Amino acid sequence: MPPRRRTDPVDGRAALALWRADPSAATRAVVRTAVRFTLEELADVAPGHAVEVRVPPDGAVQAVAGPRHTRGTPPSVVETDPETWLALATGALSWADALHSGTVSASGARADLTLFLPLQAARHRPGPLAP
């Protein structure tokens, strides 16, 4: 069963489209909605609890199949800023380039999100998120 969504997919896609059109002109509310939507998409396409993906201050999600943690810091953590996350989610930035530049921090055996980025729409919502 997929996780319950907090972001309406229509609102999320609209926010993502606004961010894509001009990232520097996107309001904080647009960025926050786009980040939360794409984090929820990640949880849909890579269900699980082995990796915690953090995009402060806008959101966090647990994703990727593997051992579930119950207390404290999870064994695999990915953390980045909202702009980097949206660039990764849409394919504007590669995982390797983000790691190399230091704009994403990834620790743990399952923290490599290369297989899931850029995001594609979950099976029950057709269409790619990345251009």
Side-chain angles (χ1 to χ4, degrees), residues 1-5 40 43-44 47 61:
M1 174 191 320
R4 193 185 97 217
R5 284 189 165 266
E40 291 167 3
D44 272 354
V61 70

Side-chain angles (χ1 to χ4, degrees), residues 9-107:
V10 172
D11 294 341
R13 286 182 187 278
L16 194 56
L18 286 170
W19 178 83
R20 260 198 208 124
D22 187 357
S24 64
T27 66
R28 282 295 310 137
V30 165
V31 170
R32 178 173 289 122
T33 299
V35 166
R36 289 180 179 171
F37 171 69
T38 53
L39 286 170
E40 291 167 3
E41 284 294 306
L42 175 66
D44 272 354
V45 299
H49 299 279
V51 180
E52 186 164 292
V53 181
R54 301 171 180 166
V55 184
D58 297 327
V61 70
Q62 290 183 3
V64 183
R68 181 183 185 125
H69 78 282
T70 56
R71 295 176 56 185
T73 301
S76 295
V77 175
V78 172
E79 188 164 338
T80 191
D81 62 273
E83 291 74 22
T84 300
W85 171 250
L86 292 174
L88 286 165
T90 60
L93 177 66
S94 75
W95 180 257
D97 288 344
L99 283 175
H100 181 73
S101 69
T103 57
V104 68
S105 168
S107 63

